[in-house]
Amino acid sequence: MGIAERKEREFVRRERDILDAALELFGSADWQAVTVEQIADRAEIGKGTVYKHFASKDEIYARLASDFHGQALDRLERIDSGLPVLQRLRMIIAIFWEQHLSGHQYQHLVQYCEREDFRKCLPADSQKHMEALDARFQAAIDTVLRDGIEEGILPAKPREALIFGPIAALNGATRMATSCMPSGATPEQYLTELTNFILAGMLYQDWLAEEGLDSEVATERALAELREMEAELEADGA
């Protein structure tokens, strides 16, 4: 191994040490009060060394958020587009659930980095990187939504209308799961209930509401319709 290669590997390793140290500190309630000096101390390096890798604390925020999203995105893009729409939707929900549950220390940080005022203050290359991740996310989600609409499984609505409810449910559920999981419920059981609730809402509750059904009856009927559809899909695949 040449000198240049060794230096490059050391640079990458040290950068990872900085990010790991920052993530540990950002897991606390007062994470925004963490200083670059504290990050350097945790990483056992000098403060100036941190600035050789990141021009500001915001850049550390952005890099950690990008790493978090990138891990989920890699899994999303590996979903087989030939699978049934319902199966792909379940896989997407499970990926988001597992990613947030295993990386709960990222939650406040990721939400903060989605703010428009935060992104505008980042260097141009960091903004472009986050925008590229957003575009890949949209493409991965849009593919299954488009297929669902074309197959008559999902209502023909704009993308934003289809995903607002599911995203809100997922964000709320992951926050609950990291702080107040329902008594006696395992993460797997919680995920099953959450997934059924989200899919029932996406697939059926709209037109059930048009029939004048109240929320509880509409939900029960939507879940029954969902189970029937999945049973038919399983029978077809047998």
Side-chain angles (χ1 to χ4, degrees), residues 87-215:
Q87 185 175 348
R88 281 186 277 161
L89 287 171
R90 284 191 176 278
M91 293 173 73
I92 289 170
I93 294 169
I95 287 170
F96 277 97
W97 168 260
E98 292 164 3
Q99 183 75 5
H100 281 81
L101 214 59
S102 63
H104 61 88
Q105 67 269 45
Y106 285 90
Q107 275 196 6
H108 297 301
L109 175 65
V110 167
Q111 291 171 6
Y112 181 80
C113 291
E114 289 174 353
R115 291 169 39 178
E116 186 176 355
D117 59 339
F118 168 79
R119 293 195 176 192
K120 283 182 177 179
C121 295
L122 292 173
D125 57 341
S126 295
Q127 289 187 41
K128 288 180 180 178
H129 180 65
M130 297 190 84
E131 287 169 1
L133 286 175
D134 290 343
R136 287 172 60 195
F137 261 116
Q138 286 192 17
I141 301 300
D142 286 352
T143 297
V144 68
L145 295 181
R146 183 181 62 248
D147 290 348
I149 292 171
E150 289 177 354
E151 294 176 24
I153 295 173
L154 296 175
K157 286 183 169 184
R159 174 184 180 277
E160 291 75 14
L162 281 173
I163 66 172
F164 176 79
I167 289 176
L170 271 169
N171 284 340
T174 52
R175 281 197 293 271
M176 285 181 63
T178 56
S179 59
C180 55
M181 181 78 74
S183 177
T186 66
E188 293 76 18
Q189 292 170 328
Y190 198 23
L191 173 60
T192 297
E193 293 299 323
L194 172 66
T195 302
N196 287 340
F197 176 82
I198 289 174
L199 292 182
M202 292 182 74
L203 274 60
Y204 302 113
Q205 287 201 51
D206 224 27
W207 57 261
L208 288 174
E210 292 175 4
E211 295 185 15
L213 301 179
D214 64 38
S215 178

